[in-house]
């Protein structure tokens, strides 16, 4: 498996709005094939098993490049077995290369995440849930680092992004007490930076 990557604009009209919760995430597996008649049923079965057991929403896009061994016929049977909502056959007339096959697959993907892998069983699907878990952890860590680096802006950013992800914001009323010792660190420059950060935040989210 080469990578798990997020995508902002799914090509299909069935795309869902950004800000979805984790349970609404959808992963599009791009599976280029050329003479993979024997491997295809097994790799698809393993993918379906891995995603189903992990409760992950998915689709498998098979991009067959005119395989002379009947790979396309096998893919059509798999589409009937698992359903056209899970198995999408998007063939091409001839072998045009791996790179363009992935691009072709992306044009038909409806998920907000892309999984790139081979169909020859060199990438075992059982590792996909771990890839996803690590990816989510990395994204969350980057978000935290970004927010902290912005200073006070992080408070508003966390609220905005939490709402985008359909999280509920809880509030607990407190009595705010002015500091007893020392002086506030929030000076004029910090206030200006805070306002600039808010404008940037609302302009880009």
């Amino acid at each position: 498996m080469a990578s798990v990557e997020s995508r902002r604009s799914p090509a299909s009209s069935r795309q869902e709005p950004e800000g979805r919760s984790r349970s609404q995430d959808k992963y599009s597996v791009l599976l280029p094939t050329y003479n993979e008649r024997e491997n295809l049923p097994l790799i698809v079965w393993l993918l379906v098993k891995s995603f189903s057991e992990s409760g992950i929403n998915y689709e498998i896009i098979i991009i067959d490049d005119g395989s002379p061994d009947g790979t396309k016929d096998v893919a059509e049977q798999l589409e009937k077995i698992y359903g056209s909502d899970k198995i999408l056959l998007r063939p091409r007339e001839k072998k045009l290369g791996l790179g363009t096959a992935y691009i072709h697959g992306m044009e038909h993907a409806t998920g907000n995440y892309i999984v790139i892998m081979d169909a020859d069983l060199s990438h075992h699907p059982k590792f996909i849930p771990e890839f996803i878990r690590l990816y989510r952890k990395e994204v969350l860590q980057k978000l935290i680092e970004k927010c902290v680096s912005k200073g006070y802006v992080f408070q508003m950013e966390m609220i905005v992004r939490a709402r985008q992800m359909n999280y509920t914001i809880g509030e607990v009323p407190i009595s705010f007490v002015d500091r007893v010792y020392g002086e506030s660190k929030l000076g004029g420059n910090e206030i200006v930076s805070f306002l600039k950060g808010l404008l940037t935040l609302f302009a880009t989210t």
Side-chain angles (χ1 to χ4, degrees):
M1 181 164 37
S3 64
V4 175
E5 302 176 4
S6 64
R7 49 198 313 265
R8 287 183 176 273
S9 302
S12 171
S13 59
R14 289 185 292 157
Q15 70 185 64
E16 299 175 44
E18 291 185 41
R20 70 182 82 193
S21 65
R22 287 184 179 181
S23 62
Q24 295 174 311
D25 284 336
K26 184 176 182 179
Y27 293 81
S28 298
V29 179
L30 306 186
L31 209 60
T33 58
Y34 186 77
N35 289 344
E36 298 291 355
R37 178 185 178 89
E38 295 180 353
N39 289 326
L40 188 58
L42 182 54
I43 190 68
V44 168
W45 182 82
L46 289 171
L47 281 166
V48 172
K49 181 175 184 294
S50 180
F51 281 122
S52 298
E53 291 179 349
S54 302
I56 299 171
N57 190 17
Y58 71 95
E59 65 181 3
I60 302 170
I61 302 175
I62 301 172
I63 308 105
D64 185 60
D65 272 5
S67 298
D69 72 340
T71 298
K72 180 182 175 182
D73 296 332
V74 173
E76 289 175 346
Q77 291 300 314
L78 293 171
E79 194 173 35
K80 293 178 181 178
I81 293 171
Y82 295 105
S84 58
D85 60 324
K86 294 301 182 184
I87 307 296
L88 287 74
L89 176 58
R90 298 294 182 266
R92 303 191 294 178
E93 294 184 0
K94 59 182 180 180
K95 193 173 184 181
L96 299 172
L98 186 61
T100 57
Y102 285 134
I103 293 173
H104 182 73
M106 289 181 187
E107 291 174 348
H108 295 280
T110 64
N112 57 320
Y113 289 90
I114 295 291
V115 180
I116 296 175
M117 62 186 305
D118 295 338
D120 61 1
L121 298 174
S122 59
H123 302 148
H124 200 294
K126 69 180 180 180
F127 297 110
I128 291 179
E130 181 66 11
F131 259 80
I132 293 173
R133 187 186 70 80
L134 292 176
Y135 179 82
R136 286 172 173 169
K137 182 178 179 181
E138 179 183 353
V139 170
L140 179 60
Q141 182 62 36
K142 288 181 178 179
L143 175 59
I144 293 174
E145 292 174 356
K146 179 182 178 182
C147 291
V148 172
S149 68
K150 288 185 177 180
Y152 288 97
V153 179
F154 85 93
Q155 298 173 4
M156 184 59 72
E157 179 161 3
M158 290 298 286
I159 292 174
V160 172
R161 294 194 182 279
R163 289 192 182 281
Q164 287 180 333
M165 298 173 69
N166 296 325
Y167 285 113
T168 300
I169 307 299
E171 297 182 15
V172 177
I174 66 169
S175 297
F176 190 86
V177 180
D178 289 335
R179 65 167 59 238
V180 178
Y181 300 104
E183 297 179 353
S184 173
K185 304 300 189 296
L186 188 59
N189 291 334
E190 285 75 17
I191 293 174
V192 172
S193 296
F194 177 74
L195 293 176
K196 287 182 178 178
L198 285 182
L199 290 175
T200 301
L201 176 62
F202 285 111
T204 58
T205 57

